[in-house]
């Protein structure tokens, strides 16, 4: 328990902090000091502070924490006044919106920064001012940035962090230079633009009419122009260089937009507007260097599943994830405008969209599965403003590694913790043989750094591991490599890249497992209708197959032979599956998958089907757990290198549900039986999560699956579609701090 907190400066920020600390009983006594004695009296009258002080010396001598809630310009003078009375144990902090000048002020007064001086800045405010406007909720759910120095006392930093957390704020730490740079861009510049806009319009002769008819957006933006002018005058002087830099950046950007309007350049205008819309929609992630949403970072999602009745009716699962990635990449490299329908609006696919927006490609949407891509040609990409953050998407990272190896600029690819631990050398190594300059982390994962201006040469490459992602990365690099690229694959892998390249006018051939493609070809824009993803449909195929009485149709599923291993395996186990309304979309076979319940039997899964069902094995193992007898699966070591070690994850989960699972190296033996309820870990893997949700439909008791938010990477509407099919599933969210 802190004894006495002294707040110097009882304006809106100081008064609100005092009121919040008093309400939360953070300290025995909250003391207020202000050179304006009327403000001190107001603080007492409104019970904002416990005590008011008119003598700074007396208040400083007995304070445990001193908060400088004064204008940044006054910081040095206040520090000078309190220095003679400061005690060794007293911790000092401030609330200034610039930090470099605060540090300079402390150095001028003390000679060196006291270890108990912890600069801080609450990112909160109001157009109101004065202690009478104090609000004890002002900081709740807002950020407070602390900028301790290397020599700062850790316990003092923790104490100030605890003080702000007591108000409901989220406390972050940042170095001083970065703080001033970020705040100049995200706080100072918008305020100055609002002041300037209102001032400019007020000078117009018909300003009264302009303001009278101003819409809500104008009022919302210009609200901040009602802030304290003196404070913003001081901010401009204190953070002058960073603010000027941001004004210059904004001026340059505005000039580009103006030029586009003058010329009627629709593509440039759409580029500005679509990039801004995307960034604004995902604003919560912009300051951390990402530009698309990742809701699983902000909430903990738990699935609860109870045994289902039969699955009935007709459902449609989202568009194919593999094709969505490839369509954006190849469409961006094409000449002309490509229209997509059926695009999967998931976290992984949005990562790819944002990466190309960062490289200057104008992309409209996605909206209800529709995307419009303004292709820039093979050599039209620009260097992104920073690293490309790809979240959890291994497809994005491996394919982009090949595509970016042939560019004229350097790039760095980043991912989340899971993606950073996945093997990237399997694509980096053959790219180096083509002449690429590419490096990975010490563990062979992300970050992946790629140097531009490299001359690539075609290679004849025999793939040691069956991987469609590696194959596709090499084909994309082959577009830039001199000569004919030849890739030899020992096992069939999904061939969406080859089919899609042909749709965009590229000539390539596949003979006896050898893919050949010459470089120097021009890609032409086209229209693509992306079918439903068989990997997402797989969960409902198995669910209908194992729940008695089920009769379910999954509409317009992509049944490409290089992806349809799930259908062959389930039929071998005795599943009643038929394909209806078969057709072809852009060279991809599509059909309605009709599944009726039929008892399953354990089998030895043919190794030739492993590579064409690799993503579906988590739910195939659930089918094996529901089958009569033993199912044997061999040669699936690749499952250890997905979003999780899927062999380990499925073994541990099924064992908890009472199923006998034996793993010998990369071979799995499952004896079917009766599943019981259990609490299951998802291993932060979307396919593990959904597989155990299907297992829960035949369990005797309720199944709880923890950490399910990663389902958004491939199937954001999984719960809603499952409920429509008849599965008894619901999810619960709990907010967690980031």
């Amino acid at each position: 328990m802190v004894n006495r907190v002294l707040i110097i400066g009882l304006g809106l920020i100081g008064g609100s902090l005092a009121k919040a600390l008093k309400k939360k009983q953070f300290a025995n006594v909250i003391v207020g000091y202000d050179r304006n004695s009327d403000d001190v009296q107001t603080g007492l009258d409104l019970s904002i502070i416990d005590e008011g002080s008119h003598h700074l010396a007396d208040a400083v001598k007995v304070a445990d924490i001193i908060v400088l809630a004064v204008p940044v310009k006054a910081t040095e003078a206040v520090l000078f006044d309190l220095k003679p009375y400061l005690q060794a144990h007293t911790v000092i902090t401030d609330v200034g919106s610039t930090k470099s000048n605060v540090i300079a002020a402390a150095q001028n007064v003390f000679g060196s920064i006291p270890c108990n001086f912890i600069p801080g800045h609450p990112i909160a405010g109001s157009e109101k001012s004065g202690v009478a406007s104090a609000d004890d909720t002002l900081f709740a759910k807002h950020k407070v940035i602390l900028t301790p120095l290397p020599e700062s006392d850790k316990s003092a930093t923790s104490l100030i962090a605890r003080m702000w957390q007591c108000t409901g704020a989220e406390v972050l730490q940042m170095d001083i230079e970065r703080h001033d740079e970020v705040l100049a861009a995200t706080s100072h510049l918008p305020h100055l633009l609002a002041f300037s806009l209102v001032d400019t319009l007020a000078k117009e002769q018909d300003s009264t009419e302009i303001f009278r008819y101003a819409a809500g957006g104008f009022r919302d933006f210009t609200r901040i122009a009602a802030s304290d002018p003196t404070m913003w005058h001081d901010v401009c002087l204190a953070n002058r260089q960073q603010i000027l830099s941001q004004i210059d950046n904004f001026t340059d950007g505005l000039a580009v937009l103006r030029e586009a309007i003058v010329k009627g350049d629709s593509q440039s205008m759409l580029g500005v507007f679509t990039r801004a819309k995307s960034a604004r929609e995902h604003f919560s992630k912009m300051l951390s260097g990402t530009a698309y949403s990742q809701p699983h970072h902000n909430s903990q999602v738990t699935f609860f599943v109870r045994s289902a009745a039969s699955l009935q009716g007709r459902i449609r699962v989202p568009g194919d994830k593999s094709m969505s990635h490839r369509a954006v990449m190849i469409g961006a490299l094409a000449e002309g405008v490509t229209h997509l329908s059926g695009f999967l609006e998931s976290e992984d696919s949005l990562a790819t969209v944002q990466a190309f927006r960062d490289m200057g490609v104008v992309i409209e949407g996605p909206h209800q599965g529709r995307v419009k891509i303004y292709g820039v040609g093979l050599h039209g990409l620009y260097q992104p403003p920073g690293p490309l953050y790809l979240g959890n998407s291994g497809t994005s990272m491996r394919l982009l590694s090949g595509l970016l190896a042939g560019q004229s600029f350097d790039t760095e690819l980043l991912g989340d913790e899971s993606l950073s631990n996945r093997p990237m050398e399997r694509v980096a190594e053959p790219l180096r043989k083509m002449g690429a300059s590419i490096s990975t982390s010490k563990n062979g994962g992300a970050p992946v750094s790629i140097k531009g201006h490299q001359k690539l040469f075609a290679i004849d490459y025999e793939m040691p591991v069956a991987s469609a992602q590696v194959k596709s990365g090499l084909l994309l690099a082959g577009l830039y490599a001199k000569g004919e690229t030849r890739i030899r694959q020992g096992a069939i892998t999904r061939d969406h890249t080859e089919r899609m390249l042909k749709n965009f006018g590229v000539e390539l051939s596949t003979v006896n497992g050898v893919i050949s493609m010459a470089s120097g070809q021009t890609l032409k824009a086209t229209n693509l209708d992306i079918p439903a993803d068989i990997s997402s449909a797989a969960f409902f195929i198995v669910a209908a197959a194992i729940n008695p009485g089920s009769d379910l149709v999954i509409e317009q599923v992509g049944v490409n032979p290089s992806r349809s291993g799930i259908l062959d395996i389930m039929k071998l186990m005795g599943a009643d599956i038929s394909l209806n309304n078969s057709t072809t979309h852009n060279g991809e076979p599509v059909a309605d998958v009709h599944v009726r319940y039929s008892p399953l039997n354990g089998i030895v899964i043919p190794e030739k089907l492993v590579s064409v069902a690799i993503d579906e094995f988590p739910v195939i193992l659930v089918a094996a757990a529901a089958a009569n007898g033993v199912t044997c699966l061999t040669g699936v070591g690749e499952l250890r290198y997905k979003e999780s070690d899927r062999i380990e994850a499925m073994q541990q989960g099924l064992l908890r549900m009472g199923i006998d699972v034996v793993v010998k190296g990369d071979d799995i033996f499952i004896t079917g039986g009766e599943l019981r309820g259990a609490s299951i870990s998802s291993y932060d893997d979307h396919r593990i999560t959904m597989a155990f949700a299907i297992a829960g439909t035949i369990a005797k008791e309720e199944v709880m699956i923890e950490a399910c938010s990663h389902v958004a990477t491939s199937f954001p509407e999984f719960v809603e579609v499952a409920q429509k099919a008849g599965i008894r599933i619901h999810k619960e969210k709990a907010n967690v701090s980031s």
Side-chain angles (χ1 to χ4, degrees), residues 15-94:
S16 297
L17 177 58
K19 191 173 183 179
L21 296 180
K22 186 173 186 294
K23 182 176 180 179
K24 295 293 185 178
Q25 298 181 330
F26 175 76
N28 287 327
V29 182
I30 304 296
V31 183
Y33 172 84
D34 197 288
R35 289 183 176 178
N36 186 335
S37 59
D38 290 341
D39 286 343
V40 175
Q41 189 59 49
T42 300
L44 289 169
D45 293 342
L46 297 177
S47 296
I48 292 171
I49 55 177
D50 296 309
E51 293 182 7
S53 175
H54 300 289
H55 302 285
L56 185 61
D58 295 339
V60 170
K61 289 177 182 177
V62 294
D64 297 302
I65 297 175
I66 297 176
V67 181
L68 306 181
V70 298
V72 288
K73 194 176 179 182
T75 300
E76 184 170 343
V78 175
L79 289 174
F80 183 83
D81 289 343
L82 63 82
K83 177 183 176 183
Y85 316 106
L86 193 62
Q87 303 300 302
H89 74 281
T90 305
V91 178
I92 309 173
T93 188
D94 77 308

Side-chain angles (χ1 to χ4, degrees), residues 87-283:
Q87 303 300 302
H89 74 281
T90 305
V91 178
I92 309 173
T93 188
D94 77 308
V95 300
S97 65
T98 61
K99 299 273 70 99
S100 296
N101 65 302
V102 170
I103 293 299
Q107 286 176 324
N108 290 340
V109 172
F110 297 105
S112 61
I113 307 300
C115 63
N116 279 2
F117 183 53
I118 313 298
H121 176 208
I123 312 296
S126 167
E127 65 270 23
K128 298 178 181 179
S129 60
V131 67
S133 301
D135 177 3
D136 58 83
T137 67
L138 185 66
F139 311 107
K141 298 182 180 180
H142 284 70
K143 290 179 172 61
V144 172
I145 300 175
L146 302 184
T147 58
L149 299 168
E151 60 268 27
S152 297
D153 183 81
K154 291 183 178 179
S155 62
T157 303
S158 298
L159 178 61
I160 299 304
R162 186 161 59 85
M163 178 189 78
W164 283 112
Q165 288 167 346
C166 179
T167 71
E170 177 189 354
V171 179
L172 308 173
Q173 289 193 26
M174 192 180 288
D175 65 57
I176 292 165
E177 292 77 12
R178 178 60 174 161
H179 169 276
D180 287 358
E181 176 187 358
V182 167
L183 268 295
T186 61
S187 175
H188 304 163
L189 179 63
H191 277 81
L192 300 185
L193 294 179
F195 279 117
S196 179
L197 176 60
V198 174
D199 180 51
T200 299
L201 293 180
K203 295 174 183 176
E204 297 286 335
Q205 290 184 351
D206 58 350
S207 61
T208 301
E209 291 297 299
I210 291 174
F211 290 122
R212 177 178 296 167
Y213 296 111
F218 177 84
R219 292 194 298 272
D220 290 342
F221 173 62
T222 58
R223 174 188 60 80
I224 56 179
S227 302
D228 183 356
T230 301
M231 179 185 76
W232 284 103
H233 162 269
D234 292 351
V235 167
C236 287
L237 295 179
N239 202 28
R240 177 167 50 192
Q241 285 306 120
Q242 295 290 1
I243 289 174
L244 288 174
S245 176
Q246 294 302 328
I247 289 176
D248 290 343
N249 288 340
F250 175 76
T251 303
D252 291 343
L254 193 61
V256 170
L257 180 56
R258 186 184 190 282
E259 183 69 10
I261 296 172
V262 168
K263 294 181 177 179
D265 185 345
S266 296
Q267 185 166 336
S268 294
M269 284 187 277
L270 282 169
V272 173
F273 300 148
T274 56
R275 287 192 297 271
K277 181 178 185 295
S278 172
R280 179 60 184 88
E281 287 173 348
H282 310 297
F283 187 75

Side-chain angles (χ1 to χ4, degrees), residues 545-563:
I546 64 178
N547 278 277
S550 294
D551 188 340
L552 184 70
V553 175
I554 309 162
E555 297 177 340
Q556 294 297 284
V557 178
V559 289
N560 185 315
S562 67
R563 290 282 300 283

Side-chain angles (χ1 to χ4, degrees), residues 348-361:
D348 279 10
S349 306
L350 291 173
T352 295
V353 170
Q354 190 59 44
F356 281 90
R357 281 181 172 142
D358 287 345
M359 290 187 288
V361 180

Side-chain angles (χ1 to χ4, degrees), residues 284-299:
S284 63
K285 289 294 171 182
M286 287 178 64
L287 294 183
S288 61
T290 69
Y292 69 96
S293 64
Q294 294 181 68
H296 50 272
H297 284 241
N298 303 323
S299 63

Side-chain angles (χ1 to χ4, degrees), residues 545 570-571 574-578 594-598 600:
M570 292 299 294
K571 287 178 180 178
D576 183 355
I577 300 174
S578 60
H594 189 182
V595 188
R596 298 181 181 90
Y597 168 74
S598 179
L600 303 181

